[in-house]
Amino acid sequence: MNNKEFISELAKRSDLSLKEASALMTNLVSEMTSRLEDEATVSISGFGNFEVKKKLERVVVNPSTKQRMLIPPKMVLNFRPSATLKEKL
């Protein structure tokens, strides 16, 4: 399911127009993005938790050249599904 199909299904189920459903999704995603940029956890009841974790710097080896490289630390998005969602899947 792509974004367009999701918005049309959301509009149909909630009796909203396509424009209203699209605005709702845009606002939801932008609010989640701003919260995650502040490194806060976003919890959606019955669905799961989104959280930002820091990956530490590490050394990797290129297998063909045997050259060692240092990968800098970075922030990654982690999703943990709720127990309800796990049961349904």
Side-chain angles (χ1 to χ4, degrees):
M1 173 180 279
N2 63 25
N3 191 38
K4 192 174 186 179
E5 293 168 345
F6 182 76
I7 289 174
S8 64
E9 186 65 27
L10 177 65
K12 186 169 69 173
R13 287 187 183 197
S14 60
D15 295 328
L16 296 171
S17 69
L18 285 176
K19 188 175 182 180
E20 291 171 330
S22 178
L24 179 68
M25 279 304 300
T26 302
N27 291 337
L28 175 69
V29 170
S30 66
E31 183 62 28
M32 285 179 65
T33 302
S34 67
R35 298 289 174 145
L36 291 168
E37 284 175 347
D38 295 336
E39 298 181 27
T41 300
V42 176
S43 298
I44 301 174
S45 180
F47 187 68
N49 297 326
F50 294 91
E51 61 184 340
V52 177
K53 290 188 175 182
K54 184 175 185 175
K55 286 184 95 173
L56 300 175
E57 75 177 3
R58 61 193 192 278
V59 176
V60 296
V61 179
N62 184 336
S64 61
T65 63
K66 308 291 189 233
Q67 181 182 5
R68 298 169 61 94
M69 296 179 283
L70 183 66
I71 304 292
K74 64 180 178 178
M75 304 301 280
V76 294
L77 181 63
N78 187 31
F79 173 71
R80 194 172 352 176
S82 69
T84 308
L85 183 61
K86 284 183 182 179
E87 288 175 10
K88 290 181 180 181
L89 297 177

